[in-house]
Amino acid sequence: MTDTRRTIPFRQLAVGDVGLVGGKNSSLGEMIQHLAEAGIRVPDGFAATSAAYRELLAHNDLEAVIRDQIDALHRDPDSLRAVGEAIRTAFQEATIPPDLAAELAADYRALSAEYGVDDLPVAVRSSATAEDLPDASFAGQQESYLNVVGEEQLLRAYQDCVTSLWGDRAIAYREENGYDHLDVALSVGVQRMVRSDRWGAGVMFTLDTESGFPEMVIIDAAWGLGESVVKGEVDPDRYSVFKPFLGDTDLVPVVSRAVGRKETKIVYARSGGGSTDTIPCSSHERHARVLDDADVVALARWAVLIEHHYGRPMDIEWAKDGDTGELFVVQARPETVQAQRGGAAMVHYTVTAKGEVLAEGLSVGDAVASGPVCALASAAEGDRFPQGGVLVAELTDPDWMPVMRKAAAIVTDRGGRTSHAAIVSRELGVPAVLGTEHATKVLTDGQVVTVSCAEGDVGYVYEGEATVRRDEVALGELPETRTKVMLNLANPAAAFQWWRLPADGIGLARMEFVITEHIRVHPMALAHPERVTDPAVRRSIAALTRDHDSPSDYFVDRLASGVASLCAAYHPRPTILRLSDFKTNEYAKLLGGGPFEPDEENPMLGWRGASRYYDPGYRDGFALECRAIRRVRSEMGFRNLVVMVPFCRTPNEADQVLAVMAEEGLVRGEDGLQVYVMAEIPSNIILAEAFAERFDGFSIGSNDLTQLTLGVDRDSEVLASRFGADDPAVLWLIRDLIARAHAVDGHVGFCGQAPSNDPAYARLLVEAGIDSVSVTPDSFVAVKTQIAAAEAELG
């Protein structure tokens, strides 16, 4: 029996009512009915149904207009704009049936009375019966209106929402996907406004939207009303939370906190009477976090509850009321891009030879594309856009869709990860670099560029056509092995790109990469900023650290975030973090590093690795490393983090390092902490039993071990032919270490480059009895296959 109700309170709706009130409104009712008891707050309201929409059509004989115009579109596909304009004009000139208008007004008065006011500010949102469904990925085609006040404004907003069902993009989408236009109806939700204009709002996803990694909640937050985040008009704060630890109230599993620029915010109009204004954020707001950790964790817990209830990844809008301090969920719908990707194979792009970086911004997707630049000031210039060009624009909206479908890549000055450009580029599978600030000024028409989103969170626009390697990995075909096959990873921003690889953890995580790329300042310059005398350097450090309580907190926060991201990617499998192993000449290149580093003739054999950690010249810098590790393990909960000491020359030096670590709260064996040592100096093998007493395992670094065994400079071009990890002397040492370590129940892994360069080398290690091999992600499949074959031969 057809349901003819014109309006229905949210609390009477559930997910089964999609056909009557659309995805948004049915989801709001579902959460009010079933998740309120779990503490999730959803603002109340009511929905004007699809039956009300059809009553509007019948009252104004609009079906005839629609049929005539759609027939005209079928005769002339280029008439989309004229057809859309004609239908929208008919809707704007229509009158709302008196009974429907009276019912909308009565429900609005009742909702206002529920909250004790005469005219309650409400949000009026469209909810199409084909929008927000699992197989409909082009959500957000219809309009929403905020801070609607009074019956007159409500009726105007209702009519504008209904009219938006006939936007050009919405018509084109239905045509392309085979929806009968008259089978699609529009429901309109009327929901109490949360006073987030006095605090902030945003969106959150129950997976990593770029990689599909399912164990994170990603939260975007900006000051003011949430539309600025939803439409991608502002660079928001971004917080990431590790879902598996949310059940432990003793942990704070906030893996990362990135403060966005947040240049503007949307607030209630100062003139009153409804509507909104966009105003600049203050300097304090731009540099302050919108959410503290307690709010971040609370929202993440809600997100997980919502995901569990719906049984699928979700895209959720939230708001924080500035008057009450309460958090609310204002929308929830299925995530549609990553959820539809298959998991049987993965594709990865590697950029090798590349030109100068012309622009950088947020990366969306994980692909790489090259082509000629075509910079457009508006979508109306789309006729001159070439197939396969690189679209460069200030910002995009639905009018840009015909152009975007022809683009090999997209670059914008403005926009975040929830912007129109981000949503569409994910759906189309093209790389996008967003929020570059100045791409439209530095990129010129016809200029060939490469747009890379394959290098982590930051996307790059390179001059010219780069050399790109495309690797496709068929995950279901990989064999099982007794030998653990792990990954060498350094870049936290790229860690989640590889989560689908069936690796046994991360065998080598290089701390130096995090320091170089994400911190950029010498640790001692942050521990002792008073010892930095260069005014320009002091200003640069102040600019980098201004969003943190102190320079040392900046180091700890950034390092902990990077390390935690690596630990999350393969949790609960181990992540083996090598402590800092810069040479003095490398340390000196860091910002503020000059005063803290000696000038050495041979840094490769100088003050590096373990010898720095207890030395007064670096002891305070090492303390910051330890603080970050302690935060990752104890506060966030990543007990899968294993610490590895590099370039430890003697057992006595090992004792000194372990003593300093203990002073900093990292006691070997306490809370399951394991400490490994790099086996890269012949003394590590000659005195294997003594080192095994002090460490839980060895990890062989083939480059330094080969260099120090053969007396060959690893960087010498003249002696390159003499340098080889397969030299009999090197292999003898490796076999000897494995045998002696196993005799005392010690673990031996291999994290050197040799198996990555030559997968057949892995066979030699298997024959020697190695416990684990760690390789670069792009060589994982080849090495895994070689190891499986070697194990089969050995039996």
Side-chain angles (χ1 to χ4, degrees):
M1 184 175 178
T2 303
D3 192 329
T4 59
R5 287 177 292 175
R6 298 184 183 95
T7 63
I8 305 174
F10 284 162
R11 58 184 173 273
Q12 295 179 19
L13 295 171
V15 288
D17 296 313
V18 170
L20 187 61
V21 295
K24 290 189 182 103
N25 292 330
S26 62
S27 182
L28 289 169
E30 179 77 13
M31 290 189 292
I32 289 173
Q33 281 201 53
H34 299 287
L35 293 175
E37 290 185 0
I40 296 177
R41 287 183 288 271
V42 179
D44 203 2
F46 62 92
T49 67
S50 58
Y53 168 81
R54 298 196 187 283
E55 186 175 329
L56 174 71
L57 262 60
H59 184 76
N60 295 276
D61 197 23
L62 292 172
E63 281 198 17
V65 177
I66 293 168
R67 290 187 192 280
D68 289 345
Q69 291 298 323
I70 296 302
D71 286 345
L73 178 63
H74 291 164
R75 290 192 298 270
D76 179 10
D78 293 333
S79 63
L80 174 61
R81 288 190 180 181
V83 165
E85 182 64 31
I87 297 176
R88 291 192 294 273
T89 298
F91 269 80
Q92 285 294 301
E93 293 175 351
T95 58
I96 301 175
D99 289 346
L100 173 57
E103 197 164 326
L104 288 169
D107 284 357
Y108 174 72
R109 289 194 298 272
L111 184 64
S112 298
E114 180 183 335
Y115 289 99
V117 297
D118 292 333
D119 290 314
L120 180 72
V122 292
V124 181
R125 293 188 171 96
S126 308
S127 186
T129 56
E131 188 187 359
D132 297 326
L133 296 178
D135 60 346
S137 59
F138 282 77
Q141 296 168 13
Q142 283 75 52
E143 294 298 330
S144 296
Y145 300 92
L146 304 179
N147 192 28
V148 174
V149 180
E151 295 174 20
E152 182 179 343
Q153 285 192 20
L154 172 66
L155 295 176
R156 180 72 262 167
Y158 173 80
Q159 191 155 0
D160 289 343
C161 281
V162 170
T163 302
S164 73
L165 184 63
W166 299 98
D168 293 348
R169 181 189 176 202
I171 296 172
Y173 172 69
R174 294 194 292 271
E175 284 288 305
E176 291 170 4
N177 289 275
Y179 290 115
D180 186 316
H181 293 277
L182 291 173
D183 284 345
V184 178
L186 196 84
S187 169
V188 175
V190 179
Q191 185 179 39
R192 175 176 77 87
M193 284 287 294
V194 175
R195 292 308 304 261
S196 58
D197 63 307
R198 295 175 176 169
W199 196 283
V203 300
M204 56 183 173
F205 298 88
T206 61
L207 47 59
D208 178 63
T209 51
E210 305 311 319
S211 68
F213 181 60
E215 300 298 344
M216 302 298 290
V217 174
I218 307 297
I219 302 173
D220 286 348
W223 301 112
L225 303 176
E227 291 300 291
S228 63
V229 180
V230 174
K231 293 183 177 179
E233 296 172 349
V234 67
D235 176 20
D237 294 351
R238 170 159 282 207
Y239 312 96
S240 61
V241 187
F242 192 57
K243 293 193 308 197
F245 295 160
L246 285 168
D248 189 335
T249 56
D250 292 330
L251 299 177
V252 183
V254 182
V255 170
S256 65
R257 309 161 182 83
V259 176
R261 291 194 297 268
K262 305 187 298 292
E263 294 176 350
T264 60
K265 62 180 178 178
I266 299 175
V267 298
Y268 285 12
R270 293 172 181 171
S271 59
S275 75
T276 59
D277 288 334
T278 299
I279 63 173
C281 287
S282 67
S283 176
H284 171 75
E285 287 173 325
R286 288 198 296 272
H287 297 293
R289 286 176 53 180
V290 176
L291 298 173
D292 60 21
D293 283 351
D295 282 342
V296 170
V297 171
L299 283 173
R301 289 190 174 123
W302 284 6
V304 170
L305 288 172
I306 293 169
E307 180 182 52
H308 286 171
H309 180 77
Y310 284 89
R312 59 175 300 145
M314 297 295 289
D315 169 357
I316 302 161
E317 295 180 27
W318 62 271
K320 182 172 181 176
D321 193 303
D323 291 341
T324 67
E326 293 177 310
L327 295 167
F328 291 87
V329 167
V330 296
Q331 278 193 45
R333 52 185 166 259
E335 191 279 337
T336 55
V337 178
Q338 289 292 343
Q340 293 180 6
R341 286 190 177 183
M346 61 179 294
V347 175
H348 183 74
Y349 297 86
T350 303
V351 183
T352 52
K354 55 196 176 188
E356 176 188 352
V357 175
L358 302 176
E360 61 181 71
L362 299 173
S363 71
V364 176
D366 52 15
V368 182
S370 299
V373 167
C374 185
L376 302 182
S378 73
E381 299 179 343
D383 291 345
R384 69 179 183 86
F385 189 84
Q387 185 72 39
V390 173
L391 173 61
V392 178
E394 182 183 4
L395 191 69
T396 69
D397 60 33
D399 290 340
W400 290 79
M401 276 301 298
V403 178
M404 298 171 82
R405 288 195 180 92
K406 296 193 290 184
I410 299 166
V411 182
T412 68
D413 288 348
R414 297 166 50 210
R417 296 188 190 279
T418 56
S419 66
H420 174 265
I423 293 168
V424 172
S425 65
R426 290 190 193 104
E427 293 164 346
L428 297 177
V430 301
V433 176
L434 310 179
T436 63
E437 297 189 62
H438 58 258
T440 55
K441 297 181 178 65
V442 300
L443 303 179
T444 58
D445 275 7
Q447 178 183 23
V448 175
V449 298
T450 297
V451 178
S452 172
C453 294
E455 300 167 71
D457 288 343
V458 179
Y460 298 95
V461 181
Y462 296 112
E463 185 174 19
E465 184 171 354
T467 302
V468 180
R469 188 178 75 246
R470 182 182 185 275
D471 298 305
E472 185 165 346
V473 181
L475 302 179
E477 301 171 4
L478 293 178
E480 295 289 331
T481 57
R482 294 189 301 274
T483 306
K484 303 294 186 185
V485 184
M486 307 173 79
L487 298 180
N488 293 340
L489 284 178
N491 185 0
F496 297 155
Q497 293 179 1
W498 299 103
W499 72 271
R500 288 186 174 91
L501 278 181
D504 293 302
I506 297 176
L508 175 61
R510 297 179 176 92
M511 184 184 288
E512 306 90 75
F513 185 94
V514 182
I515 295 174
T516 301
E517 298 296 324
H518 297 275
I519 297 173
R520 295 159 45 195
V521 185
H522 194 289
M524 287 295 288
L526 295 171
H528 291 286
E530 74 282 358
R531 290 165 58 181
V532 178
T533 56
D534 187 319
V537 173
R538 291 176 68 93
R539 286 194 297 270
S540 296
I541 293 175
L544 286 171
T545 61
R546 64 185 173 190
D547 296 335
H548 295 76
D549 292 339
S550 69
S552 59
D553 284 341
Y554 166 78
F555 181 93
V556 174
D557 290 346
R558 285 295 186 100
L559 181 57
S561 174
V563 172
S565 295
L566 293 167
C567 290
Y570 282 97
H571 183 272
R573 289 158 285 179
T575 289
I576 301 172
L577 174 69
R578 186 177 70 189
L579 298 170
S580 62
D581 192 25
F582 285 117
K583 288 74 176 174
T584 50
N585 59 324
E586 296 168 335
Y587 260 125
K589 294 176 183 177
L590 293 172
L591 190 62
F596 300 99
E597 298 299 329
D599 185 13
E600 295 186 312
E601 287 292 330
N602 189 353
M604 191 74 76
L605 296 178
W607 190 40
R608 61 174 286 200
S611 62
R612 298 180 66 93
Y613 306 152
Y614 54 86
D615 189 290
Y618 189 72
R619 171 68 174 76
D620 291 345
F622 184 63
L624 299 183
E625 295 183 30
C626 292
R627 274 180 57 191
I629 292 168
R630 194 168 68 246
R631 176 180 296 178
V632 172
R633 285 182 54 85
S634 301
E635 296 178 26
M636 296 185 191
F638 289 103
R639 302 293 173 81
N640 62 323
L641 177 59
V642 177
V643 175
M644 183 159 65
V645 178
F647 223 76
C648 186
R649 294 172 170 94
T650 67
N652 176 261
E653 186 165 72
D655 291 336
Q656 290 178 276
V657 170
L658 292 171
V660 171
M661 289 176 61
E663 290 173 13
E664 297 299 331
L666 296 176
V667 179
R668 179 189 168 210
E670 194 172 281
D671 293 326
L673 175 63
Q674 290 189 312
V675 183
Y676 284 15
V677 65
M678 289 286 292
E680 53 191 344
I681 306 171
S683 63
N684 301 140
I685 299 169
I686 294 167
L687 301 176
E689 289 80 6
F691 281 100
E693 288 178 7
R694 292 160 171 82
F695 295 103
D696 298 287
F698 296 87
S699 187
I700 298 168
S702 59
N703 285 340
D704 272 333
L705 182 60
T706 301
Q707 172 176 249
L708 296 174
T709 300
L710 301 180
V712 175
D713 183 347
R714 57 192 278 187
D715 297 325
S716 171
E717 294 181 8
V718 176
L719 297 176
S721 62
R722 303 291 181 91
F723 186 91
D726 58 352
D727 185 274
V730 178
L731 293 175
W732 187 92
L733 285 172
I734 291 172
R735 292 189 185 99
D736 186 56
L737 173 63
I738 292 171
R740 292 165 64 193
H742 284 179
V744 293
D745 296 324
H747 172 95
V748 182
F750 190 101
C751 66
Q753 190 64 25
S756 297
N757 294 339
D758 178 14
Y761 191 86
R763 297 173 66 90
L764 300 175
L765 297 175
V766 173
E767 291 169 2
I770 199 79
D771 296 307
S772 65
V773 174
S774 186
V775 298
T776 55
D778 56 343
S779 63
F780 177 85
V781 173
V783 172
K784 183 85 168 174
T785 303
Q786 286 278 8
I787 286 177
E791 290 180 348
E793 290 176 13
L794 293 171

